[in-house]
Amino acid sequence: MQILLTVAYDGTAYAGWQRQQNAIAVQQRLEEALSTLLSRPITINAASRTDAGVHALGQRAAFFADDLRVSLKKLPQVINGLLPPDISVTAAQAVCDNFNPRFDAEYKIYTYNTYCAATPNPLLRRYSAYVPQMLDIQAMKKAAGMFAGRHDFAAFMATGSSAKTTVREIFSCDVRETQPGLIALTITGNGFLYNMVRIIAGTVLYVGLGKILPQDIPMIISSCDRTKAGKTMPPEGLTLVEVGYKQDKLLCNG
Amino acid sequence: MQILLTVAYDGTAYAGWQRQQNAIAVQQRLEEALSTLLSRPITINAASRTDAGVHALGQRAAFFADDLRVSLKKLPQVINGLLPPDISVTAAQAVCDNFNPRFDAEYKIYTYNTYCAATPNPLLRRYSAYVPQMLDIQAMKKAAGMFAGRHDFAAFMATGSSAKTTVREIFSCDVRETQPGLIALTITGNGFLYNMVRIIAGTVLYVGLGKILPQDIPMIISSCDRTKAGKTMPPEGLTLVEVGYKQDKLLCNG
């Protein structure tokens, strides 16, 4: 039986999702907890390999086990008892053996938070980037909307990455002020290139600062030139909010 | 000249506001920063001596200085450059020499956050208490409202504290769900006894759990019996949001 977990974590203390040689990754902590529970080595496959310092509310990760001694309903609490407090399994469900949490994802939702005020807010610093300058939020909203659609996002990919194709579809991208000074960019797409959300967030920030005009976004996209886009924002503002699957991918139909 | 600062901090790493012999307090970090800036020892007086682990968005603290070499407008950024990232000065203003940030406070606002869900949320764990049981939020709202008014709050004071009088006036106390599962109790009063907000939050939580009825609150208050009230909630859920002063206390009228 393959089991799919929903996982939330505060990425501050971790070298990212993926297991590393010389640093602690979220994957390692979760595999250690499952290995303790099942008394044998467990390997998990995740939907997204989030970078060092990036957070998650709805990461998905799957593993195989026919020897679970607890119900799926109780499984999150039992695993959480074996995890540090900055990682939490929030749900568990059975899926087909041929289900793949990464390749079967229909969409992913990320949020990038930026806190804009004259002085930093220590209660937001772990989960947002801080910007002391005034931002034009209306211009940022306009710019964000222009990322929607199927485009070649080569201009919004970290140099040195080796994606087969740089075409991705963005279903929605919007900006709103969720509390005074806290600006959330929420983006939904069928997939994201390496650092793509952090570069889009940096480009929308440049619009807020008046360095780029909203109407320049289509031209920056079509240029396929990384140097035309904004800076790569720091990891602490990024959260993987949700990974969505088609219902028929999750259910075993024989 | 006396200068009044507004100070925000993440209390997680600190032994509270007040200077300690064997642990780091927020007061010490702020006094060190000001002493570095002015090249002489500085002592500050705060509005509230928040406990270990308690946060602040609007703590107030005052010190005397006639030798500031920066404008009051620039002062927050300059001090922040000398402070760790979990403490931030958000404003500075000149006040009368006879102004006292503690005794001249007209009101204080605290928020107590509780996260209620089947599993913990690692992104909220530093700033809220976690409760796995279902809560009756309507009953909690009803109970919170009953704390308003001038009462003897002896039942809501940690044992062993030595307040001259246990009578305080609560101007408002309400409960609302600020995001799914996150329940904020916000209380405004002219002063608070030791651990009073955390005990009121624990009593309102007991109402949410069905252990106490909302209509029992007046009886618990009038009993002046600590054992009738709920438990003292942990410090991480508590934030000092604001300290208010009458305008004439802040201004020097000769």
Side-chain angles (χ1 to χ4, degrees):
Chain A
M1 177 167 71
Q2 190 173 200
I3 296 157
L4 179 65
L5 304 177
T6 305
V7 190
Y9 45 87
D10 176 336
T12 311
Y14 296 98
W17 168 264
Q18 198 168 30
R19 228 176 219 282
Q20 305 278 325
Q21 283 289 348
N22 301 309
I24 305 295
V26 179
Q27 179 181 17
Q28 180 185 338
R29 285 281 178 258
L30 197 53
E31 287 179 348
E32 284 169 355
L34 291 169
S35 300
T36 299
L37 182 65
L38 293 164
S39 307
R40 61 183 176 84
I42 296 285
T43 302
I44 49 175
N45 292 305
S48 173
R49 289 165 300 179
T50 56
D51 277 334
V54 171
H55 316 290
L57 285 172
Q59 169 72 292
R60 299 291 194 108
F63 66 102
F64 287 88
D66 291 313
D67 50 349
L68 270 188
R69 285 153 303 179
V70 292
S71 68
L72 285 172
K73 194 171 180 305
K74 286 265 184 197
L75 189 60
Q77 275 101 322
V78 173
I79 304 173
N80 289 341
L82 299 165
L83 284 168
D86 52 6
I87 306 176
S88 174
V89 172
T90 62
Q93 64 185 111
V95 291
C96 312
D97 278 0
N98 62 6
F99 170 83
N100 183 301
R102 183 165 172 215
F103 300 115
D104 288 338
E106 192 189 3
Y107 65 86
K108 287 177 191 158
I109 306 176
Y110 284 92
T111 291
Y112 196 92
N113 279 312
T114 305
Y115 180 64
C116 169
T119 53
N121 179 334
L123 303 192
L124 297 175
R125 82 189 192 290
R126 289 169 76 96
Y127 311 114
S128 61
Y130 168 62
V131 173
Q133 300 96 329
M134 289 280 283
L135 298 178
D136 180 343
I137 298 176
Q138 288 313 313
M140 291 171 79
K141 282 178 188 280
K142 213 169 149 184
M146 292 185 175
F147 286 94
R150 190 179 167 83
H151 303 290
D152 185 333
F153 283 101
F156 300 87
M157 179 175 69
T159 49
S161 56
S162 59
K164 273 183 215 153
T165 164
T166 48
V167 174
R168 293 290 184 277
E169 185 169 359
I170 297 302
F171 303 127
S172 69
C173 181
D174 58 71
V175 161
R176 60 195 194 95
E177 195 169 0
T178 52
Q179 65 183 74
L182 190 65
I183 297 157
L185 176 136
T186 299
I187 189 164
T188 306
N190 67 351
F192 294 89
L193 301 165
Y194 187 55
N195 276 355
M196 180 168 155
V197 181
R198 288 161 60 185
I199 300 170
I200 288 176
T203 305
V204 171
L205 176 70
Y206 276 13
V207 171
L209 292 168
K211 293 185 184 185
I212 292 176
L213 294 172
Q215 56 268 35
D216 292 341
I217 300 293
M219 192 203 68
I220 296 171
I221 295 173
S222 61
S223 77
C224 291
D225 178 357
R226 172 69 189 90
T227 67
K228 296 268 192 293
K231 69 168 178 179
T232 305
M233 293 294 281
E236 63 268 24
L238 188 60
T239 301
L240 171 59
V241 174
E242 190 180 324
V243 181
Y245 300 100
K246 281 213 177 81
Q247 211 49 37
D248 64 347
K249 290 282 182 188
L250 292 170
L251 297 172
C252 303
N253 300 314
Chain B
M1 179 169 70
Q2 189 173 202
I3 296 158
L4 179 64
L5 304 177
T6 306
V7 189
Y9 46 87
D10 176 336
T12 310
Y14 296 99
W17 168 265
Q18 198 168 29
R19 230 176 217 282
Q20 305 280 325
Q21 283 289 349
N22 302 307
I24 305 295
V26 178
Q27 180 181 16
Q28 180 185 338
R29 285 282 177 256
L30 197 53
E31 287 178 348
E32 284 169 355
L34 291 169
S35 301
T36 300
L37 181 66
L38 293 163
S39 308
R40 60 182 176 85
I42 296 285
T43 301
I44 48 175
N45 291 306
S48 173
R49 290 165 298 179
T50 57
D51 276 334
V54 171
H55 316 291
L57 285 172
Q59 169 73 291
R60 299 293 195 108
F63 66 102
F64 288 87
D66 292 313
D67 50 349
L68 269 188
R69 285 154 303 180
V70 291
S71 68
L72 285 173
K73 195 173 179 303
K74 287 265 183 196
L75 189 61
Q77 275 101 323
V78 173
I79 304 174
N80 289 341
L82 299 165
L83 284 169
D86 51 5
I87 306 176
S88 175
V89 172
T90 61
Q93 64 186 109
V95 291
C96 310
D97 279 359
N98 62 6
F99 170 83
N100 182 301
R102 182 165 171 214
F103 300 115
D104 288 338
E106 193 189 3
Y107 65 86
K108 288 178 191 158
I109 305 176
Y110 283 93
T111 291
Y112 196 94
N113 280 311
T114 304
Y115 180 64
C116 170
T119 53
N121 179 335
L123 303 191
L124 298 174
R125 83 189 191 293
R126 287 168 77 97
Y127 311 113
S128 61
Y130 168 63
V131 173
Q133 299 96 327
M134 290 282 282
L135 297 178
D136 180 343
I137 297 175
Q138 287 313 314
M140 292 171 77
K141 282 177 188 281
K142 213 168 148 185
M146 293 185 175
F147 286 94
R150 190 178 169 83
H151 305 288
D152 185 334
F153 283 101
F156 300 87
M157 178 176 69
T159 50
S161 55
S162 58
K164 272 183 218 154
T165 163
T166 49
V167 174
R168 294 290 184 276
E169 185 170 358
I170 297 302
F171 303 127
S172 69
C173 181
D174 58 71
V175 162
R176 61 194 192 96
E177 194 169 1
T178 53
Q179 67 182 73
L182 190 65
I183 297 157
L185 176 136
T186 300
I187 188 163
T188 306
N190 68 350
F192 294 90
L193 301 166
Y194 187 54
N195 277 355
M196 180 169 155
V197 181
R198 288 160 61 184
I199 299 170
I200 288 177
T203 305
V204 171
L205 176 70
Y206 276 13
V207 171
L209 293 168
K211 292 184 184 185
I212 292 176
L213 294 172
Q215 57 268 35
D216 291 341
I217 299 293
M219 190 202 69
I220 296 171
I221 295 173
S222 62
S223 77
C224 292
D225 179 357
R226 172 68 190 90
T227 67
K228 296 268 192 294
K231 69 169 178 179
T232 305
M233 293 294 280
E236 63 268 24
L238 188 60
T239 301
L240 171 58
V241 174
E242 191 179 324
V243 182
Y245 300 99
K246 281 214 177 82
Q247 210 49 34
D248 65 345
K249 289 282 182 189
L250 292 170
L251 297 171
C252 304
N253 300 315

